[in-house]
Amino acid sequence: MLFRKRIEKSCTYCSYGTQLEDGVILCTKRGLISADDACRKFFYDPCKRVPKKAKPLNFSKYDEEDFTLGD
């Protein structure tokens, strides 16, 4: 969830951090840091959070009859 009350602290989605490369964040408070780090200045920015991709749907359990409209 993007807007839940308890957010895990991560510099990846902190308003003070800017992602440079994979795993490297430029923080205005602490400089270059790892994406896994978090500090007391963490301020959640929901626009930086990228939701996980949805799993593809499995239609193999349905047959052709399930997709017809009645008689």
Side-chain angles (χ1 to χ4, degrees), residues 12 18-25 33-36:
T12 307
T18 304
Q19 188 164 0
L20 299 178
E21 300 171 3
D22 267 353
V24 179
I25 305 291
I33 52 175
S34 170
D36 298 333

Side-chain angles (χ1 to χ4, degrees), residues 41-67:
K41 296 288 186 178
F42 175 79
F43 186 75
Y44 179 61
D45 184 359
C47 294
K48 290 186 178 182
R49 187 84 176 250
V50 179
K52 295 178 183 176
K53 290 187 177 184
K55 294 180 183 178
L57 298 176
N58 182 9
F59 292 108
S60 64
K61 61 183 176 183
Y62 301 107
D63 56 2
E64 194 66 33
E65 186 178 305
D66 293 325
F67 295 100

